[in-house]
Amino acid sequence: MSALRLTVNGGEHVLDVPVGTSLAQILRDELGLTGTKIACNEGHCGACTVQIDGVPQLSCITLAHAVEGEVTTIEGLREHPLVEAFVRADAVQCGYCTPGQVVSAAALVAANPQPTREEIRHAMAGNICRCGTYPKIEEAILSWQG
Amino acid sequence: MARLIRTEKEVEGRFEEVWIVVEEDPLEQWPEGPLEVVGRPAPRKDGPERVRGEARYTADLRLPGMLQAAVLRSPHAHAKVRRIDLAPALALPGVRAAIGPGEAHGLEEEAGFAGAAVAAVAADTFAQARAAVKAIDVEWEELEVVLDPDDAVKREQLTAEPRTYERGDVDKAFADADVVVEGTYRTQTVLHNSMETHQAICEWQGDTLHVYISTQFIWGIRQAVAQTLDLPEDKVRVVCEFMGGGFGSKNGPDEYTFVAAELAKRTGRPVRCALTRREENTSAGNRNATIQRLRAGARGDGTIVAFEGEFRNSVGWSGWNASTEGPMRMLYDCENVRSVTYGAKLNTPPMKAFRAPGFVEGTFGLECLVDELAAKLDVDPLELRRRNYAASNEGTPFSSKNLEDCYRMAEPHWERRHEVRSRSDAVWKRGVGMASQIWYGGGGPPSYAWVRLGSDGRATVITAMQDIGTGTRTAMAQIAAEELGIPLEHVDVALGDSARGPYASISAGSSTLPSMGPAVRAAAADAREQVEDIAEQRGLPADTPLQEIVAVLEESQILGKGARGPNPTGMSVLTFGVHVVEVAVDVETGEVNVERVAAIHDVGRIVNPLGASSQVEGGVIQGIGHTLSEERLLDPESGRILTTSLDSYRMPTIADVPEIICEFVDRPDEHLTNLGSKGLGEPPIVPIAAAIANAIRDATGAEVHELPISREEMLRALREAEERAREKEKRGAPAAV
Ligand code: FES
Ligand code: FES
């Protein structure tokens, strides 16, 4: 066990957890933030995407003790206009990949508010959706400002 | 009045005769076309919960005191446990219980494939459970491994008797045919890879077992668990509010459910048993590989006179022999057809239904062969399909079939081929291909729903069904809102719990909407009729808004109930469609890009055009993965699975997606229920592989015979086409390429 200080969605957390625990596991099991999903747990799918200081990161392969910076999860982005845009465009089927998609998309539009289709495809290619919501994700991001 | 009837029930193309109780289903169908709510695009009712990460999936549940289970799986494709010692596992920290072969359903002494479950451990944390599984001491006796389907067929090592079919006089028809084409087509094993892995949490409360599970069939789980554990069905409660994809792989309980139930019993605590992604790729099912040896004969005028097929399904250690021959029997009006279908029993993981099982594979072979026939006859592929249009299903009338309209709607997309081809250059060749689709999707009884209406004029649809991500809640709410004449926002849908609603159908075989929708409409109509009675008693005019009529009710509620009526007797309920695909092929590297897909489907009435387009896009994209990049690989010596991670098993990403155009005939099936809707989950994945292969032929002249169309397969087909062209030239004919 080792002390861990984390800032998540603006809140400070002090925890005592084994070294080697992933950030995803801390978020889901210790902090109850289950909006961050785990689908592969080895860095291949993007379901667990969170932002660290605004940069998308795969929380399942990020060691919690190595996090420097502020973590933003889907729970911290619930009022983001992208949420409404995803619902409007039907960019959600089973929804299991969707929080990760929104977190990646939020980082994209923060850096580039009017991305082209090509830029969207480039930025979102690490987020797998087995249901195939991709065309609707493109549409949601293209129209995120309403 | 309840009526007892005997009816044919179909799921995923498998039929059985069942007795069912249905109530009268006297409602007239609504008129064709968009209504007030039904037929108009509606964003998902549960969209915000899912997008905001608030929806609770089985993977997100944390029951107090819950333990985590891990499963020991066979590293060998075929082996027997000679000796197993669980003691070293039990001695490790955090471990609460361990079970071995025979101690839970699905834990077996003989492992028939690499990944078969053998033993399991429950511990405080998953890491502890995994460590304990590693400590289990097993002595294996390795057994002979059979991996080759042809080998299995030769040895008659089959999962069931070969299935044969014959109509007409096939030999004579081939002898009389002007043109005969033949070919061997191969399809690969692909994995469902739902984003939420297979998992269950089991908890005993008194003598009742509570099962929280990621499933496509709440009532099927309840029945199978009760039967296996010898419990009354009402002592098993099954809960699934949200689930992260299934695609056919989550229709029943597997070893993880029984492991969790047994370990929960032994420890007195709730136990979760969840597959890891790597276990998902070895032990959660697959679409089996096939070998299809096909032959077709036609007269010079393009009339197809004979089909013959020998199909070998690599079923695996267990599973069923899907109807790979189905499209050959059903898609065209051909008098003489003969097929035999073998299910090879192999030391590979068991097949499971995967989005139109059998028909996806069979349509690839058949629709490629039909294009080869068109080329040989020098008939336009669309025209050839029209000339051989089936007016009935082997003599049984269709409840509705609008494939002709699909063909008509396909014309403008098909017309583009001249322009598309002209955009070819020395390296990138472009072309257009098409393929037709036939599949089931009529749903059936039994299915029930209740509608609860309060004095505030708001309604809740209650039924113990599941929403596997197809937008079920939304479609059901639309149907109830339409029938009640209230806004969609005033309808909620409560589902996902066998203890809190009536029996509901499986969400497989494209059956959710056609099974459940009519029951929901009937329940809403029952509630509406009660409201009308109240209006009459209050002396209110017939057009008084519902909200005003029920306003006096205070705490009283109106409860409507509805049941799904039977399917029309003596009719075949089927779905149809056609895809027109544009591709670009790099003839130097063998790279294939799908650039545009026009998907036109005939599935009866469309309830939610927005959700329907999502279903089509999802099916098309999954089909593109199946066609171009996905393949489960085995070590040919040991039978171990090599593609267990998502970087080795390549599913489409957003960068692989073409332009997709969805069109619907959108005409209610007048013989099918009070709704006239069929299912749409599966049809869009059926024709895509053949349409891509046919577009490749149009672009390059190359005949692709194998999925996935890897660069090797593409380059092989290109070389073969070049040789064909050279030989033709030698013989003095002009080159075809
Ligand atoms: S769960 Fe982290 S990348 Fe898949
Ligand atoms: S919505 Fe199901 S995986 Fe993306």
Side-chain angles (χ1 to χ4, degrees), chain A residues 28-29 34-35 37 39-40 42 44-45 74 78-79 83 86-88 90 92-96 98-99 102 121 124-125 128 130-132 134-136, chain B residues 44 50-54 57 59-60 62 191-193 195 243 245 247 277-278 469 613-615 617-618 621-622 630 645 647 651-655 657:
Chain A
R28 290 174 54 80
D29 293 343
T34 55
K37 304 300 179 200
C40 73
E42 52 184 345
H44 295 148
C45 77
I74 185 66
R78 280 184 177 159
E79 303 313 318
V83 168
F86 266 62
V87 174
R88 211 172 39 229
D90 208 39
V92 53
Q93 291 189 31
C94 79
Y96 207 72
T98 316
V102 173
R121 285 169 164 241
M124 301 297 295
I128 291 177
R130 189 48 157 166
C131 299
Y134 301 129
K136 301 285 203 287
Chain B
R44 278 163 213 246
R50 292 191 198 249
V51 178
R52 288 154 59 96
E54 294 162 340
Y57 298 77
D60 300 326
R62 303 281 180 273
L191 303 165
H192 303 75
N193 265 317
M195 292 305 271
M243 60 95 76
F247 312 110
R277 177 58 49 187
R278 292 189 178 212
S613 68
S614 293
Q615 283 301 295
E617 288 161 1
I621 292 165
Q622 216 167 53
E630 296 180 28
S645 68
D647 67 338
M651 301 194 286
T653 73
I654 195 168
V657 173

Side-chain angles (χ1 to χ4, degrees), chain B residues 4 22 199-200 232 236 362 397 407 447 471 530 549 570 579 584 602 622 641 646 672 733:
Chain B
L4 185 65
V22 292
Q199 51 194 293
V236 179
Y407 287 151
S447 288
Q530 295 180 48
I549 303 170
H579 285 189
D602 165 32
Q622 216 167 53
I641 290 119
L646 295 184
L672 184 64

Side-chain angles (χ1 to χ4, degrees), chain B residues 448-472:
Chain B
Y448 308 93
W450 300 328
V451 165
R452 186 181 70 202
L453 190 64
S455 58
D456 56 359
R458 297 185 64 104
T460 300
V461 175
I462 303 167
T463 177
M465 69 192 297
Q466 53 288 319
D467 182 344
I468 68 166
T470 49
T472 298

Side-chain angles (χ1 to χ4, degrees), chain A residues 24 37-49 58-61 126, chain B residues 195 646:
Chain A
K37 304 300 179 200
I38 294 179
C40 73
N41 212 19
E42 52 184 345
H44 295 148
C45 77
C48 64
T49 307
L58 300 173
S59 64
C60 74
I61 50 166
Chain B
M195 292 305 271
L646 295 184

Side-chain angles (χ1 to χ4, degrees), chain B residues 243-305:
Chain B
M243 60 95 76
F247 312 110
S249 69
K250 292 179 180 166
N251 293 343
D254 288 317
E255 82 291 347
Y256 56 90
T257 309
F258 299 108
V259 161
E262 180 60 26
L263 289 170
K265 182 167 241 173
R266 291 190 184 206
T267 57
R269 290 167 63 169
V271 174
R272 164 202 301 285
C273 187
L275 269 60
T276 63
R277 177 58 49 187
R278 292 189 178 212
E279 287 175 293
E280 187 78 11
N281 278 332
T282 60
S283 312
N286 56 67
R287 182 192 294 288
N288 59 253
T290 70
I291 303 169
Q292 310 171 32
R293 299 186 169 94
L294 311 182
R295 204 148 74 100
R299 282 201 296 265
D301 66 356
T303 309
I304 300 175
V305 293

